[in-house]
Amino acid sequence: MSSEITLDYNEFSPQDYLNEYYTEVSDENESLLQFFHDTYSKLGPVDSMLEVGGGPTIYQIISASRVAKHIDFSEYLPANLAMVRAWLDQKPGSFNWDIYFKRVLEIEGRPASRENIDALAGTVRGAVRRLTQYDVFREPPLVEGEPLYDIIASNFCIEGIQTDRQVFERQFGRMTSYLRPGGLLALCMVKNATYYRVGKRRFPVVPVNETIMENVLKNAGLTLTHIQSIKAVDPDQGYEGMLMIRATRG
Ligand SMILES: C[S@@+](CC[C@H](N)C(=O)[O-])C[C@H]1O[C@@H](n2cnc3c(N)ncnc32)[C@H](O)[C@@H]1O
């Protein structure tokens, strides 16, 4: 089962990733959708949100699109951005996220009808203001002249792009420097992992847990408001579980 662990994200296949993690709403994905709903349904309307390392996926911005007027979706790999662009443009053959829309509607207590699914997909499409190629290793500014964001969200990215804890902390500080005072950070991470699997590839992860993240957040000037963890469904994927975190700046 083992394969070489690589840091080369050119080896990351968007299609393999989607097939591996998003063809069904697994128990893990169900917990993520619930976390996003809990997080965003508590907020009033905000102007701007930055998604970091968004990958080829949009499940993570469905609930956010109910409250964020503008979502700037950033990602390192052009191939992943192309996947998201194809979905935004409703290109034939683009990934079908209907089961995720359906589940979000159910969580919201609304009928998961075709009409409501299409309306919610339209809300997500209308909220995405930019798709931006962004490398967390790069210095700011991410987008020239853009004010700080009301929300920063990142899922399974920042812990999975290097192997050094200090580099991880620096990147974390850089990513969260785009958050305005009082703004919200929403973060999902793999817990106590050294790698995660995509098809035959394995990508390295800096192991994190509740205690480590409490310190990392504090060092970045953020106040932790919520942290929960769930167990992994399949430990062969490389992680023991998932962490879901909310924090605010200041
Ligand atoms: C495990 S995927 C997560 C994708 C998506 N956020 C999700 O929830 O499924 C990790 C993502 O980090 C991106 N990534 C890799 N290196 C990066 C970098 N230097 N800066 C920003 N993102 C990067 C990858 O391209 C990939 O899309």
Side-chain angles (χ1 to χ4, degrees):
M1 276 313 261
S2 76
S3 56
E4 201 181 323
I5 297 186
T6 178
L7 248 181
D8 181 1
Y9 264 86
N10 292 309
E11 306 264 326
F12 184 97
S13 156
Q15 200 58 60
D16 283 355
Y17 184 68
L18 292 170
N19 290 343
E20 182 132 11
Y21 294 103
Y22 297 108
T23 50
E24 57 170 0
V25 183
S26 64
D27 287 352
E28 284 170 4
N29 294 342
E30 168 72 25
S31 302
L32 294 172
L33 293 183
Q34 192 68 57
F35 169 75
F36 295 133
H37 173 77
D38 293 347
T39 300
Y40 299 118
S41 62
K42 287 194 185 101
L43 281 184
V46 299
D47 186 62
S48 63
M49 167 173 171
L50 172 67
E51 171 76 20
V52 176
T57 65
I58 59 93
Y59 74 98
Q60 72 276 28
I61 55 171
I62 299 176
S63 292
S65 75
R66 295 270 193 216
V67 295
K69 186 170 174 202
H70 300 297
I71 299 177
D72 288 349
F73 187 105
S74 76
E75 161 56 33
Y76 173 70
L77 269 189
N80 283 342
L81 287 172
M83 278 277 181
V84 175
R85 170 53 63 202
W87 182 82
L88 289 173
D89 293 348
Q90 297 180 262
K91 289 247 172 74
S94 59
F95 195 75
N96 186 330
W97 290 100
D98 279 4
I99 51 173
Y100 283 81
F101 283 105
K102 183 170 177 291
R103 191 61 202 124
V104 171
L105 286 163
E106 285 164 0
I107 292 171
E108 290 175 342
R110 298 178 208 229
S113 60
R114 182 72 256 164
E115 196 186 351
N116 284 349
I117 290 172
D118 291 344
L120 186 48
T123 302
V124 174
R125 289 190 171 101
V128 176
R129 171 171 60 183
R130 308 190 169 93
L131 293 186
T132 310
Q133 192 184 5
Y134 174 52
D135 180 350
V136 176
F137 286 89
R138 203 172 74 191
E139 293 296 329
L142 168 62
V143 179
E144 200 75 49
E146 192 56 41
L148 297 176
Y149 288 90
D150 297 305
I151 303 172
I152 293 186
S154 189
N155 305 290
F156 314 111
C157 168
I158 194 89
E159 74 279 28
I161 54 179
Q162 79 312 96
T163 52
D164 184 302
R165 170 89 181 275
Q166 282 178 333
V167 177
F168 163 72
E169 286 222 31
R170 273 206 301 281
Q171 288 168 337
F172 191 87
R174 190 173 300 156
M175 174 178 89
T176 55
S177 69
Y178 298 115
L179 189 62
R180 72 158 168 79
L184 167 76
L185 174 73
L187 198 62
C188 297
M189 314 177 94
V190 285
K191 180 178 170 182
N192 287 337
T194 52
Y195 71 88
Y196 71 94
R197 188 181 293 285
V198 181
K200 293 197 178 91
R201 306 277 172 226
R202 290 190 296 164
F203 292 87
V205 175
V206 171
V208 291
N209 58 26
E210 286 86 340
T211 313
I212 291 171
M213 284 314 298
E214 276 166 26
N215 276 315
V216 170
L217 288 161
K218 200 162 136 209
N219 294 343
L222 296 158
T223 306
L224 177 67
T225 56
H226 175 89
I227 189 161
Q228 72 187 84
S229 77
I230 57 163
K231 276 202 175 3
V233 173
D234 175 9
D236 186 49
Q237 237 122 1
Y239 49 91
E240 180 187 304
M242 290 179 175
L243 289 178
M244 296 167 211
I245 293 171
R246 289 192 281 272
T248 53
R249 172 164 297 293

